[in-house]
Amino acid sequence: MTDVLICGAGIAGSTLAYWLAHNGFTVTVVERAPGVRSGGNPVDVRGPALPVVEAMGVEARLCDAATRAKRVRLLDKHGRAVATLGLPAAKGHEFEIPRSDLATVLYETACKDADFLFDDTITGLSQDQHGVDVTFARAVSRRFDLVIGADGVHSAVRRLVFGPEHDFVRPTGIYVATMSFGEAVDHPEDVLLYNTPGRLAALHPSRDEGGVAFIFRATPDDIDIRDTAHHKRIVTEAYDGLGWRVPELLARLRNADEVFFDAVSVVDLPSWSRGRIVLLGDAASCVSLLGEGSSLAIAGAYTLAGALAEAAIGGIRRYETAHRAHVATQRRPMKLVAAMLVPKTRQGLMVRNLAARLWPQSP
């Protein structure tokens, strides 16, 4: 088993492509987008992901692109600080980095030894004991020894092999929209958060350009994940009339060329594989609200690549057993994080702000 197809050129897919090629596999990556996706909120590289990026030789590049945020300031509608929290000090070489920068570095490292097909996607999968026949939207059909779906929460591979999305994806009632601020901010070390019940607007210093995030509780109708105009209307209606800099941020949102929008969801499957088809990253187990999912994706890709190199098809079960343990530890605090980040009620917001003022200020 040497010829592998990966669906998805994001963080999990590019990391896996690198390590499979490193271990002697012939790797092809197919990605629906026309290029490496930009945008998205800052993410963390920590814990089990650190030795992986170090072994890939990209740690220095990633650190150069890391944000410099040191504090979180909670603001009222007039922009006055309600509380200030020091962000946890990084342990060792842990860092936060814009998602697009992380994805770009991983792709540029992987593409030296793996083939990438952009602006295409899988439309059909048929497997037998010896391989998988794959039909693409644009490319000529091919046969692979193994297919790995690293194509996110709305995975095409999962839908084709395991069944419809609603069987495995459970929205939490929280939605996220992110975009570039379009220029540098004047608070390079502070993340600014403004809340009303069920609503959060955030301005992150990021690097060269600040980042904007709208995180809110809602139950919108069915959403086409590719309908950016609809996404902008949903966010505008949700935040209409709020204070602080929200009117300015909404104006930038309406003029933005690229906006990420999606529901925060939990993905649950009884198994991450069917024969020679395997799921990785958010396609298998989306659990993150604050960026930890990227570290899990990197660690999971490394675990899968190593297991396949050692035991081929037999390594798939070992990968799932080992990585499910990491996923379980990240999933437990998700409800508490959501309650603190986006309190549902005015009373909940008051309690959160009081707790923030009492929290130790040292990192």
Side-chain angles (χ1 to χ4, degrees), residues 186-262:
D186 57 3
H187 44 91
E189 296 183 344
D190 295 339
V191 181
L192 306 183
L193 304 183
Y194 165 62
N195 281 91
T196 62
R199 304 284 184 270
L200 168 69
L203 188 54
H204 198 290
S206 196
R207 290 292 289 178
D208 297 331
E209 294 184 351
V212 179
F214 299 95
I215 305 177
F216 60 102
R217 298 179 184 271
T219 53
D221 297 331
D222 290 340
I223 297 172
D224 182 346
I225 61 171
R226 296 177 184 85
D227 188 350
T228 301
H230 187 207
H231 303 163
K232 292 180 178 181
R233 289 195 298 271
I234 291 172
V235 177
T236 299
E237 291 172 4
Y239 285 80
D240 184 44
L242 298 190
W244 184 50
R245 299 176 65 175
V246 168
E248 173 199 353
L249 299 182
L250 290 177
R252 290 177 183 262
L253 172 77
R254 289 189 288 269
N255 293 323
D257 293 328
E258 185 170 351
V259 176
F260 169 83
F261 180 92
D262 209 347

Side-chain angles (χ1 to χ4, degrees), residues 25-36:
F25 291 81
T26 300
V27 183
T28 302
V29 183
V30 60
E31 167 59 49
R32 179 187 294 273
V36 179

Side-chain angles (χ1 to χ4, degrees), residues 63-83:
C63 287
D64 287 342
T67 71
R68 298 291 183 262
K70 295 181 179 179
R71 294 173 293 274
V72 173
R73 285 198 282 154
L74 306 180
L75 309 177
D76 65 15
K77 65 180 181 180
H78 302 293
R80 296 178 300 222
V82 174

Side-chain angles (χ1 to χ4, degrees), residues 263-321:
V264 177
S265 301
V266 175
V267 177
D268 272 317
L269 290 99
S271 174
W272 294 348
S273 64
R274 290 273 178 89
R276 290 173 174 264
I277 301 172
V278 191
L279 299 177
L280 173 68
D282 284 353
S285 56
C286 182
V287 299
S288 176
L289 183 59
L290 289 179
E292 303 93 334
S294 294
S295 290
L296 278 176
I298 292 170
Y302 180 75
T303 299
L304 177 56
L308 292 174
E310 290 181 7
I313 290 295
I316 293 174
R317 183 61 60 187
R318 180 165 39 176
Y319 143 71
E320 181 170 343
T321 300

Side-chain angles (χ1 to χ4, degrees), residues 133-166:
D133 294 313
V134 181
T135 304
F136 299 95
R138 298 166 63 91
V140 176
S141 299
R142 289 175 57 184
R143 184 171 175 84
F144 295 88
D145 296 318
L146 185 70
V147 173
I148 298 165
D151 46 346
V153 176
H154 307 290
S155 169
V157 173
R158 189 186 61 227
R159 174 176 50 79
L160 290 169
V161 178
F162 294 81
E165 184 170 302
H166 59 71

